[in-house]
Amino acid sequence: MTDLPGTSKIIIIGGGIIGCSTAYHLAKMGLEVTLLERKKLTSGTTFHAAGLVGQLRTSANITQLLGYSVDLYKRLEAETGQATGWKMNGGLRLACNAERWTEVKRQATTAHSFGLDMHLLTPQEAFDLWPIMAIDDLVGAAFLPTDGQANPSDITLSLAKGARMAGAHIIEDCKVLSVEIDRGIITGVVTEQGRIGCEKLVCCAGQWTRNFAATVGVNVPLVPVEHQYLITERIEGLPANLPTLRDPDRLTYYKEEVGGLVMGGYEPNPILWRDGTIPQGFHYTLLENRLDHFEPLMELALGRVPALETAGIKQMINGPESFTPDGMFILGEAPELRNFFVGAGFNAFGIASGGGAGMALAEWVAKGEAPFDLWPADIRRFGRPHFDTDWIRARTYEAYGKHYTMAWPGEEHHSARPSRRSPLYDTLLAAGAVFGEKLGWERPNWFAAPGELAQDVYTYQRPNWHSAVAREHQAGRRTAMLIDQSSFAKFTLKGPDACAALQWIAAANVDRPAGSLIYTQMLNDKAGIECDLTVTRIAEDEYYITTGTGFATHDFDWIARNIPAGMNAQLVDVTSGYAVLSLMGPEARRILQAVTRADLSNTAFPFATARTIGIAGAPVRALRVTYVGELGWELHIPTEYAHTVYAALHSAGAAHGLVNAGYRAIESMRLEKGYRAWGADIGPDHTPDEAGLGWAVKLKSGIPFRGRASVAAQRANGVKKLLASFTAAPGVILYGRETIYRDGVRVGWLSSGGYGHTLGLSIGMGYVRHAAGVTPDHVLSGQYELEVAGERLPCTVSLSPLYDPHMARVKG
């Protein structure tokens, strides 16, 4: 037993692969770190993991993180002398129907854009790599040579040994009982062996994380789910270098182990383990096998691997794995408590993620920010619905069941709905709305006309909502559209120092007269875009901030933690207080003027201003702004007036062609206008100058703001990537992640993709990269192609809006 230290700068709770990897990386950085494990290393869930290591995800940075794991596992045994069981035998993914083959080809395109060498194979070529499978139903396969497999316990113990070698303390049989907090500051932990003082706490406690974090007010949405797999006896003639195999159409996966096979899968009807509580003394513990539940997977597996019919079963394993509501793991500093970090909820790919997740979490702990944009895994992607355990369980049940189902473009979850509804939900539903969901909010995606199926039908071809979105899009361009955007996150920042605080946080100049609306980014120290939102000055000491639905927790946290110490400014979430109706289109002024006495002329109410106007007895905060490229207003309405204002607008708009519209029309229109979307086209890895947003930065003013020095340095030295728009023939279907080639050289990928119904062309946005530097001339001088599902197709590039109603310009 290691003696308990009196203090440690950083304490990690949990001795699975994530905790040990985080300790390894922190210790390598020379930081004082102590890892506490309640029982033995790996004894929670790591020891029973299957150990497949795949890399490809839809996010470039998550793929990079998994690629880091592979690079680490290659060298770890040589560094520590501790075996890891690492074997880079490659990974195969099968396709058994036309739609799955399209998905696999698109995955290969994504892999190429991220720099991974994924090969598309014929059924026979796949059989040559995996000669014990039946291929009569195969359409094709993809092979990634750098995928592999590892022994979960061995690789964790190797990370632990490396951490000790670098100076980390690792103490087993030392359960943490509580966390000490003094006025919001973590001061230490109390364990079974005594107290340890600390400054930062990292919770990597697997399925225990949710309950433990809740004791200090931190929400970690995860659910333990039973996951079963079997290990066979030796199978005669089984090659030792067999790649890992994923057969999603049969819901199963395989890897070679000691001459036999590991076979498991993801059933559509998972079993959520227990009620969120975990039995005392649960370590190195497996659950009772559920043969009846596993049998359907076994039958599917026999059709792929006939040798399983006669193979002996050495062991069946059933263990709980932590799954999350969206199938992605959870990393980062908790928004509820400073210096409390989380690494948990790894959805049965913790071994694949372990090396990279530990590296990223260690950087986050040490430096206060992630090493690169990890928004898909950021704990701040969650919000109000994720506090309710029943909601989490319902959504996680669905997410687990979709682990191997088709990942359709535009697919929506169906569980735990409806949850958050605007006052207009029932009215819009009766009008044909087909809703999507974000952060629990029901949001109209599109409207079905009478006789149309009011339901999404998913495909990799043009979806059933394509013509409906075209109707809404064209109304927005020709007449007017009304969109319920009540799900916008809305904050007020108020106090004597509100302006000074926001001037520091925002890249744009927010010291404007009351009634001004300012579009701004909020930057990190590297000038990366952390928030992209609008700020309206309501009074000398008050601002009204509007941001995207899914960014409510993230943006509130960013603003709150960046208010300079000592400043008197309070941030309050007022989202539920206001409904929002966005009235957009050439007829918007006529329609709005018909329901208010306020002067809406361009002179009295210019772009980027805000006024409170009266509509049918309601005080409406009208913001003259647009995200679709047309004349329009966002109408922020006290919630209780939403129905009244909605009815008044439709009554006045009937003669002017006003239609209801949804978020898919917004997406189509904003792509034509070249408006950026945070989380796709812009984020912490992109600067304003790279994104074409340098005009929104107050660099010439001399006013200090966070990120200013980096903006200035980049402006002096130039950029190495620039965001551009691309158009392709209307038959080319773009969803994002397609690879960009300039003069035959891979230079990036599309961050967004869709269809422009005014242009009649497919549209994408993406960064053109060049290590030696990128200028507008460099971008515009090249010949471009997009790789779409393995095929290179010609496209046209632009650095200016493809559509601009004010200049009557349409590019194609």
Side-chain angles (χ1 to χ4, degrees):
M1 179 181 294
T2 304
D3 290 337
L4 204 67
T7 62
S8 179
K9 292 280 188 185
I10 304 162
I11 289 177
I12 299 170
I13 301 174
I17 190 167
I18 308 303
C20 289
S21 178
T22 306
Y24 170 90
H25 287 93
L26 284 168
K28 285 278 190 177
M29 295 165 72
L31 299 173
E32 182 184 48
V33 58
T34 299
L35 184 149
L36 305 175
E37 164 54 44
R38 58 187 287 275
K39 293 295 183 180
K40 301 296 183 185
L41 298 183
T42 80
S43 68
T45 57
T46 296
F47 81 96
H48 62 68
L52 281 71
V53 178
Q55 299 167 83
L56 182 61
R57 294 295 184 272
T58 56
S59 158
N61 284 356
I62 299 299
T63 298
Q64 178 184 339
L65 184 147
L66 298 179
Y68 176 91
S69 292
V70 168
D71 291 339
L72 176 62
Y73 299 164
K74 285 179 188 176
R75 56 181 165 82
L76 193 59
E77 184 171 338
E79 176 188 326
T80 66
Q82 165 74 44
T84 62
W86 169 247
K87 185 163 62 172
M88 196 170 77
N89 46 349
L92 263 177
R93 179 174 287 265
L94 307 182
C96 303
N97 57 66
E99 289 276 37
R100 180 72 76 177
W101 183 228
T102 298
E103 179 186 64
V104 167
K105 288 189 292 184
R106 284 184 171 270
Q107 288 172 337
T109 291
T110 299
H112 299 160
S113 69
F114 298 165
L116 293 175
D117 188 22
M118 180 176 270
H119 307 287
L120 294 173
L121 307 180
T122 66
Q124 182 60 48
E125 289 169 331
F127 178 81
D128 292 342
L129 287 172
W130 229 85
I132 65 163
M133 69 172 166
I135 60 170
D136 53 303
D137 63 337
L138 280 196
V139 177
F143 179 62
L144 191 53
T146 52
D147 279 356
Q149 62 190 65
N151 181 300
S153 292
D154 286 348
I155 210 157
T156 302
L157 294 175
S158 185
L159 287 164
K161 184 173 180 181
R164 288 189 180 102
M165 290 166 62
H169 297 284
I170 296 181
I171 305 174
E172 299 180 289
D173 299 307
C174 186
K175 181 179 180 180
V176 176
L177 302 175
S178 62
V179 182
E180 291 184 346
I181 301 172
D182 181 14
R183 288 174 289 184
I185 297 172
I186 295 171
T187 58
V189 298
V190 177
T191 79
E192 291 176 325
Q193 297 182 26
R195 179 190 182 277
I196 311 176
C198 70
E199 297 176 3
K200 297 181 179 181
L201 191 60
V202 188
C203 189
C204 302
Q207 61 186 334
W208 287 268
T209 301
R210 176 167 174 77
N211 291 338
F212 182 84
T215 65
V216 292
V218 171
N219 185 47
V220 183
L222 58 80
V223 179
V225 182
E226 296 189 21
H227 184 71
Q228 295 189 95
Y229 64 88
L230 61 80
I231 306 171
T232 74
E233 302 285 359
R234 293 184 64 85
I235 296 175
E236 193 64 35
L238 191 72
N241 63 342
L242 208 63
T244 61
L245 178 70
R246 291 167 180 84
D247 187 3
D249 291 312
R250 291 178 180 264
L251 307 178
T252 50
Y253 63 78
Y254 309 81
K255 75 165 186 173
E256 183 275 335
E257 184 166 293
V258 199
L261 282 179
V262 169
M263 187 283 287
Y266 294 90
E267 59 273 37
N269 57 333
I271 299 172
L272 307 186
W273 187 52
R274 295 175 62 85
D275 58 358
T277 61
I278 301 168
Q280 290 292 321
F282 189 88
H283 67 289
Y284 285 132
T285 306
L286 295 174
L287 309 179
E288 181 181 350
N289 291 326
R290 297 181 185 264
L291 298 178
D292 57 335
H293 199 250
F294 193 72
E295 186 177 359
L297 290 181
M298 191 67 198
E299 290 175 357
L300 290 167
L302 289 173
R304 177 66 63 220
V305 187
L308 287 173
E309 194 160 355
T310 55
I313 305 300
K314 181 189 297 184
Q315 187 180 11
M316 271 204 72
I317 290 176
N318 184 13
E321 296 269 6
S322 296
F323 280 76
T324 63
D326 60 2
M328 180 55 72
F329 53 83
I330 303 170
L331 288 182
E333 186 175 6
E336 303 93 341
L337 180 61
R338 298 286 176 88
N339 290 330
F340 187 98
F341 294 82
V342 174
F346 278 82
N347 300 275
F349 62 100
I351 308 307
S353 312
M359 174 275 293
L361 191 53
E363 290 271 345
W364 215 323
V365 172
K367 300 176 182 178
E369 61 184 6
F372 41 76
D373 181 11
L374 290 171
W375 172 242
D378 194 314
I379 192 171
R380 293 169 295 179
R381 72 189 188 270
F382 298 115
R384 289 178 178 173
H386 303 98
F387 285 89
D388 178 52
T389 297
D390 290 332
W391 193 99
I392 295 166
R393 288 171 69 86
R395 179 58 57 83
T396 302
Y397 182 96
E398 179 186 0
Y400 180 104
K402 287 181 172 178
H403 198 88
Y404 273 166
T405 59
M406 293 286 296
W408 298 112
E411 184 176 11
E412 295 282 352
H413 291 296
H414 58 78
S415 57
R417 295 178 59 185
S419 178
R420 305 173 82 179
R421 286 176 277 186
S422 98
L424 297 169
Y425 175 82
D426 291 328
T427 301
L428 300 180
L429 186 64
V434 180
F435 289 92
E437 178 264 335
K438 182 166 283 190
L439 211 64
W441 279 101
E442 294 293 322
R443 312 193 312 170
N445 275 341
W446 60 282
F447 285 79
E452 287 183 339
L453 177 67
Q455 176 184 326
D456 289 339
V457 178
Y458 300 117
T459 177
Y460 272 99
Q461 307 310 310
R462 291 288 179 216
N464 70 314
W465 60 79
H466 187 74
S467 59
V469 171
R471 289 195 303 267
E472 298 167 21
H473 176 122
Q474 296 297 359
R477 292 280 186 242
R478 297 170 182 170
T479 56
M481 63 202 302
L482 190 64
I483 311 159
D484 182 2
Q485 295 193 274
S486 300
S487 65
F488 273 150
K490 300 166 281 272
F491 316 136
T492 60
L493 183 70
K494 187 174 176 64
D497 297 322
C499 179
L502 205 52
Q503 277 287 65
W504 168 252
I505 303 168
N509 182 11
V510 299
D511 191 4
R512 305 284 179 83
S516 299
L517 184 150
I518 306 104
Y519 167 64
T520 186
Q521 289 79 49
M522 295 175 173
L523 310 180
N524 58 37
D525 291 335
K526 294 177 286 190
I529 300 171
E530 292 286 349
C531 307
D532 179 72
L533 40 73
T534 58
V535 171
T536 303
R537 192 164 197 178
I538 303 301
E540 187 71 16
D541 63 347
E542 183 177 359
Y543 289 85
Y544 180 72
I545 301 169
T546 309
T547 190
T549 306
F551 316 134
T553 305
H554 175 278
D555 289 8
F556 188 95
D557 178 68
W558 183 264
I559 296 167
R561 69 171 54 234
N562 280 288
I563 295 172
M567 284 196 179
N568 185 352
Q570 291 75 45
L571 186 67
V572 179
D573 189 326
V574 296
T575 298
S576 298
Y578 294 90
V580 178
L581 289 172
S582 293
L583 177 65
M584 302 287 161
E587 296 293 313
R589 180 179 280 114
R590 290 186 182 90
I591 295 169
L592 192 57
Q593 191 66 79
V595 298
T596 183
R597 290 179 177 272
D599 184 352
L600 302 181
S601 66
N602 197 58
T603 302
F605 204 150
F607 185 75
T609 59
R611 304 280 186 272
T612 297
I613 66 176
I615 301 177
V620 175
R621 181 173 289 162
L623 311 184
R624 175 90 186 275
V625 67
T626 179
Y627 191 55
V628 298
E630 299 291 344
L631 171 69
W633 283 265
E634 284 178 15
L635 305 175
H636 292 242
I637 309 157
T639 301
E640 66 270 24
Y641 289 103
H643 274 287
T644 304
V645 174
Y646 174 87
L649 290 169
H650 267 289
S651 178
H656 299 280
L658 179 66
V659 304
N660 287 313
Y663 275 79
R664 288 185 174 140
I666 296 174
E667 180 68 6
S668 171
M669 296 175 80
R670 73 98 182 167
L671 283 171
E672 288 188 336
K673 191 63 172 68
Y675 288 134
R676 284 74 166 136
W678 195 90
D681 312 307
I682 54 177
D685 289 345
H686 312 113
T687 69
D689 282 10
E690 293 166 347
L693 297 171
W695 56 268
V697 179
K698 56 177 180 265
L699 192 62
K700 293 180 180 179
S701 70
I703 300 169
F705 62 92
R706 185 166 184 185
R708 188 184 195 285
S710 293
V711 172
Q714 188 176 68
R715 192 148 307 171
N717 298 321
V719 299
K720 297 182 179 180
K721 62 184 177 187
L722 271 178
L723 186 65
S725 293
F726 299 86
T727 54
V732 178
I733 299 176
L734 302 178
Y735 290 117
R737 307 296 181 268
E738 292 83 5
T739 312
I740 304 167
Y741 289 88
R742 178 186 180 275
D743 295 338
V745 177
R746 176 173 57 85
V747 294
W749 60 89
L750 295 187
S751 49
S752 295
Y755 188 83
H757 291 278
T758 301
L759 275 64
L761 295 170
S762 293
I763 303 174
M765 297 177 73
Y767 288 87
V768 176
R769 293 164 165 82
H770 185 55
V774 177
T775 64
D777 286 345
H778 173 87
V779 172
L780 297 174
S781 65
Q783 295 294 313
Y784 288 86
E785 296 173 300
L786 296 174
E787 182 186 336
V788 183
E791 184 180 1
R792 288 199 199 179
L793 301 166
C795 64
T796 302
V797 70
S798 176
L799 288 173
S800 56
L802 302 170
Y803 170 83
D804 189 335
H806 304 294
M807 300 179 67
R809 183 177 70 237
V810 177
K811 287 189 169 185

